[in-house]
Amino acid sequence: MCDVAVVMGSISDLKVMQNTLDVLTELGVSYETKVVSAHRTPQEMLDFAKNAQKKFQVIIAGAGGAAHLPGMIASSTSLPVIGVPVPSRYLKGIDSLLSIVQMPAGVPVATVSIGEAGAKNAAILATKICALKNDSYRKSLNNYVKAMHDTSIESGEKFE
């Protein structure tokens, strides 16, 4: 069993979603990636969502533009879904953010910020969910937070 599914609507989303993969790797979280589109491959997307619970604990879905992927997946699974708004060419990801965050009652999608920071936060949030049942993930998170703390202190000392 893999813990996290990282899906994106297009391979062009990988530029942002690589940040998710990097953090999951750093934290030692098992994951699989998949490109599946709510618009171009809707049946494959539905098949993935309906069968995801057999294999994963959390789904991270990155999408740009209309950004229907996270919501459509959330509507077809009982797993938690974290949506990552991928910046778009014209509206810089505001369109993606609004599409993901404005879900109707009963179909929640946890939504992070637009772009690379959001992609990293999605990985951390997914790891926190998985850490509820996995002590090694909890330890990895604690080490990650400590490293951020130490880096911040060191950079402050260098500045002063």
Side-chain angles (χ1 to χ4, degrees), residues 82-85 97 100 109-115 117-123 125:
I82 303 168
V84 178
L97 173 66
I100 296 170
V109 174
T111 310
V112 294
S113 61
I114 299 166
K120 290 178 182 181
N121 282 339
L125 179 55

Side-chain angles (χ1 to χ4, degrees), residues 36-49 72 76:
V36 60
S37 171
H39 303 111
R40 295 178 203 94
T41 59
Q43 189 58 55
E44 290 81 354
M45 182 230 22
L46 289 171
D47 292 344
F48 163 78
M72 290 300 297
S76 301

Side-chain angles (χ1 to χ4, degrees), residues 26-101:
E26 183 176 348
L27 293 171
V29 176
S30 65
Y31 66 87
E32 286 185 19
T33 58
K34 186 165 189 65
V35 175
V36 60
S37 171
H39 303 111
R40 295 178 203 94
T41 59
Q43 189 58 55
E44 290 81 354
M45 182 230 22
L46 289 171
D47 292 344
F48 163 78
K50 289 178 181 176
N51 293 305
Q53 194 163 354
K54 297 173 188 170
K55 196 169 186 180
F56 305 105
Q57 293 184 61
V58 182
I59 299 170
I60 299 172
H68 292 130
L69 183 64
M72 290 300 297
I73 289 175
S75 74
S76 301
T77 185
S78 61
L79 292 176
V81 176
I82 303 168
V84 178
V86 173
S88 55
R89 184 174 4 171
Y90 300 110
L91 297 176
K92 309 296 186 231
I94 296 296
D95 49 347
S96 308
L97 173 66
L98 294 175
S99 291
I100 296 170
V101 79

